């Protein structure tokens, strides 16, 4: 790989490294390979196996409870079951099996996802990821059990589903219990603090006086890209049928039209393109690299490469909390460019070859500070 050097020849990828035998990661090897963790309880191999084992047993017990409880109360429940309540009371029903399946299916999907992410992903390598993972595991199970339990409670000992009444406290109780359990589990399972990466450990590169190089990279999420394409096709087809007056009914096709803006949003967050140059950092979204935002060199203190997980920042896409100075562009878990802002705060961007991007950013930031 080479960096583009405007006005001159290409700069080899290993040019200007910080000393004999060193990589662009500086003193301690590859910054992208470091997890930043102090080998907390679930950051090591043994801890990961323990977490996966606990999750497997816990998930199996929750799944068994979601099946066993309805079967044990089968003789005291109507068929069909009341499954939906509105402002005027119960307004929807399903058969016994169909009414209880959603909680089991949703929990099963979440459980499998958490197991796979723990066994093969980056989520347990950092404290924030561990907290989120344990929180979702326990909080999600409490939510699934609470939803199923509240439906059973409302239908218990009623002769007909129309007589089922959902207590007003049920919904806030389920939500509150799930959130409380998730927060507590996340707190207890977060493990030791991450080992902080200091500026002197960050990737470094020396540029010759007057030398200017440009780095460009990207990261994509194939699953989100495919989903975006699928929603785009569905939205276009629904729009065509709506215009043509399809016999199914305009209301049906009109309801599908929101798929178009959703497809556009998914397209933007499934592909991110990053450019590092003398003027700083540019992050563009989508296949056209637009819209985009920039961070000037003068506002960058230093940069590094770390492995991050979507669980740490609350999911995929553009993530951040106002007033915290923290922003994440999370397309996929794994290698990320982490930029520490001069005025405080942090920017995390999913991108391949983040170590080289960080090294070049640090070179320009050092020049800016020296000037």
């Amino acid at each position: 790989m080479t960096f583009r050097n405007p006005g001159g020849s290409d700069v080899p990828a290993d040019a200007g490294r910080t000393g004999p035998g060193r990589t662009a990661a500086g003193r301690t090897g590859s910054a992208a390979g470091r997890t930043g963790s102090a080998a907390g309880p679930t950051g090591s191999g043994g801890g990961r196996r323990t977490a996966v084992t606990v999750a497997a047993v816990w998930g199996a017990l929750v799944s068994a409870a979601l099946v066993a409880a309805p079967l044990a109360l089968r003789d005291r429940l109507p068929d069909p079951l009341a499954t939906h309540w509105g402002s005027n009371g119960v307004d929807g029903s399903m058969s016994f099996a169909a009414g209880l399946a959603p909680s089991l299916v949703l929990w099963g999907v979440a459980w499998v996802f958490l197991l796979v992410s723990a066994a093969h992903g980056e989520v347990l390598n950092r404290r924030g990821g561990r907290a989120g993972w344990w929180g979702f595991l326990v909080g999600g199970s409490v939510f699934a059990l609470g939803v199923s339990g509240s439906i059973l409670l409302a239908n218990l000992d009623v002769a007909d589903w129309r007589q089922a009444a959902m207590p007003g406290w049920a919904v806030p109780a389920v939500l509150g219990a799930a959130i409380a359990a998730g927060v507590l589990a996340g707190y207890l399972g977060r493990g030791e603090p991450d080992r902080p990466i200091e500026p002197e450990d960050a990737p470094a590169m020396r540029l010759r006086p007057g030398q200017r190089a440009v780095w460009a990279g990207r990261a994509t999420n194939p699953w989100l890209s495919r989903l975006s394409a699928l929603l785009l096709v569905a939205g276009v087809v629904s729009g065509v049928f709506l215009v043509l007056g399809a016999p199914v009914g305009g209301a049906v096709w009109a309801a599908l039209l929101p798929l178009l803006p959703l497809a556009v949003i998914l397209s933007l967050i499934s592909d991110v393109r990053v450019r590092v140059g003398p003027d700083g950092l540019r992050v563009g979204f989508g296949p056209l690299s637009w819209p985009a935002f920039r961070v000037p060199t003068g506002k960058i203190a230093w940069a590094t490469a770390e492995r991050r997980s979507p669980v740490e920042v609350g999911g995929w896409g553009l993530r951040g909390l106002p007033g915290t100075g923290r922003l994440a562009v999370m397309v996929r878990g794994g290698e990320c460019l982490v930029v520490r802002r001069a005025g405080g705060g942090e920017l995390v961007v999913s991108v391949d070859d983040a170590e080289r991007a960080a090294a070049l950013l640090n070179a320009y930031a050092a020049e800016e500070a020296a000037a």
Side-chain angles (χ1 to χ4, degrees), residues 245-290:
V248 176
V252 175
W253 302 116
L256 294 177
L257 283 180
L259 294 179
L260 285 173
L262 181 58
V264 173
I265 293 173
L266 286 178
S267 175
L268 292 176
I269 66 173
S270 66
D271 189 349
V272 62
R273 302 179 186 228
V274 180
R275 179 185 180 277
V276 175
D279 56 346
L281 174 71
R282 181 186 186 275
V283 180
F285 297 89
L288 302 179
S289 191
W290 186 90

Side-chain angles (χ1 to χ4, degrees), residues 36-43 125-128 130 188-195:
S37 171
T42 53
N125 289 339
R126 291 178 55 84
R127 198 183 204 194
R130 294 192 293 270
L188 295 177
R190 72 194 191 282
E192 296 296 326
D194 298 330
R195 182 182 66 82

Side-chain angles (χ1 to χ4, degrees), residues 221-238:
N221 187 317
W223 291 102
L224 289 180
S225 297
R226 295 186 188 109
L227 180 58
S228 171
L230 181 64
L231 293 179
L232 179 62
V233 171
V236 170
V237 170
S238 65

Side-chain angles (χ1 to χ4, degrees), residues 296-364:
T297 305
K299 294 186 177 180
I300 295 174
W302 57 283
T304 187
E306 298 180 10
R307 304 190 72 84
R308 296 289 183 94
S309 166
V311 175
E312 296 181 60
V313 298
W316 293 270
L318 189 64
R319 301 287 173 169
L321 291 175
T324 64
R326 293 177 176 267
L327 181 67
V329 181
M330 187 60 65
V331 173
R332 48 95 183 114
E335 190 176 5
C336 294
L337 173 65
V338 181
V339 178
R340 318 288 183 180
R341 298 177 185 269
E346 177 184 270
L347 171 64
V348 178
V349 183
S350 299
V351 67
D352 298 335
D353 197 27
E355 187 177 335
R356 298 182 194 277
L360 188 57
L361 267 181
N362 288 331
Y364 284 128

Side-chain angles (χ1 to χ4, degrees), residues 201-228:
D201 294 328
M205 176 182 295
R206 286 193 297 268
L207 297 175
R208 293 187 296 273
Q211 183 182 20
R212 289 295 176 262
V214 174
W215 177 95
R218 65 184 294 198
T220 60
N221 187 317
W223 291 102
L224 289 180
S225 297
R226 295 186 188 109
L227 180 58
S228 171

